[in-house]
Amino acid sequence: MVKLNENYLKLPGSYLFAEVARRTAAFSAAHPEADIIKLGIGDVTLPLPPACVSALKRAADDMADSSTFMGYGPYEGYAFLREAIVKNDYEPYGVRIGPDELFVSDGAKSDCGNIGDIFSEDCVVAVCDPVYPVYIDANAMAGRAGDWDGRRWTNIVYMPCTGENGFFPELPERVPDLIYLCFPNNPTGMAATKEQLQPWVDYANEHGSVILYDAAYRAYITDPSLPRSIYEIPGAETCAIEFGSFSKTAGFTGTRCGWTVIPRALERGGESLYDMWMRRQSTKFNGTAYVIQRAAEAVYSPEGKEQTAGMIGYYMENARVIRSGLSEAGLETYGGTDSPYIWFRAPGDQDSWSFFDRLLDEAHVVTTPGSGFGPSGEGFIRVTAFGDSARTREAVERIKSML
Ligand SMILES: *Cc1c(COP(=O)(O)O)cnc(C)c1O
């Protein structure tokens, strides 16, 4: 009989969101009259910017005409989109990345997971704790995580991000080969400064490690002194791969478009990582749909920029309402100023699930328990700013009166 990839069989069930849904459904069944507000969602709710919808329709018309029809596109994405990303998301920040150092993809999640294909199965992987689960699970599937002991993977280097270190990891003692960093962070909502990132870049260059930098929330940075790209840090071009996404920037979660930057200067053992990823993509990926790349290009049109800024402003106003309301209620809150996530400590040393239950039972508000993102998330709760503004205000008022 065929042998299965046993690494998959070691994976614990995706417990977090299933358990949130289960408890919410149980509460709802017991209290059908309760008006439940969901502040747990990690998905955008506003529709696509009109500029993107128009571009999508124009591109659909291109496909209907033999003179403008597009078949297979370049593996690395169309030049029009790669050039637009470089011109708008890198050049203004002083980053000298060329369009020939960038791959368009169907989103950051696939790239964050698939990038492992070009690295050895023996690589040691480090992640922040709490963490976006994709980084760990994708490496567990590839056999890099060791065994699940009920709380942790035996071969993953967990880097605690807690109140004590300002939710920014310390350089680990055991030197990892691959280091996942994500700023602004999901779930903590904390952004990183250039001064915080510089030692990581120096460390990776010194040890030959590679930083895998997830910049999916870059558009939520409001403080102009904070870096939107790891390449704003000197030396990053020889040690970092960066992932970008239109999902949270422009509401593309269901439309699917992102990118990965691999600088030409990034080599290990004399091998170009750009060339290796090109080999991987040209074998296993046939590109992002032309119509989608046209829609993504429109994010950078004058109307697209104005519309996406409006969307982000809407979510960030929610974040401000949540953060200030929860602080007024006496909660210790983090994030929410350069990110759509607010991370707060459950009062009175309660664990994450106990306070989740209390918020559901008494305020009828659904959140996400921090412990679901890793052991160091215990005692915290994540709330998101992706909801409707009136409902968000209502939820915050309910939590304030509950406390
Ligand atoms: C939402 C999110 C992404 C975006 O993934 P896509 O596949 O581009 O939709 C990437 N990283 C993190 C941490 C996220 O929360």
Side-chain angles (χ1 to χ4, degrees), residues 107-110 132 135 182 186 214 216-217 245 247-248 256 341:
K109 188 187 200 177
S110 2
Y132 179 58
Y135 313 146
C182 171
N186 176 12
D214 185 343
Y217 294 95
S245 174
S247 285
K248 314 301 168 22
R256 312 303 310 138
Y341 296 115

Side-chain angles (χ1 to χ4, degrees), residues 97 288 325 358:
I97 285 294
T288 304
R358 201 179 149 207

Side-chain angles (χ1 to χ4, degrees), residues 276-312:
M276 287 184 71
W277 185 242
M278 176 60 97
R279 191 74 181 83
R280 190 271 173 203
Q281 290 296 78
S282 60
T283 301
K284 293 196 184 180
F285 186 60
N286 251 337
T288 304
Y290 167 74
V291 294
I292 302 297
Q293 294 193 56
R294 281 293 184 201
E297 179 191 28
V299 168
Y300 300 115
S301 66
E303 309 76 52
K305 284 182 183 172
E306 199 184 306
Q307 291 158 6
T308 50
M311 293 166 65
I312 290 166

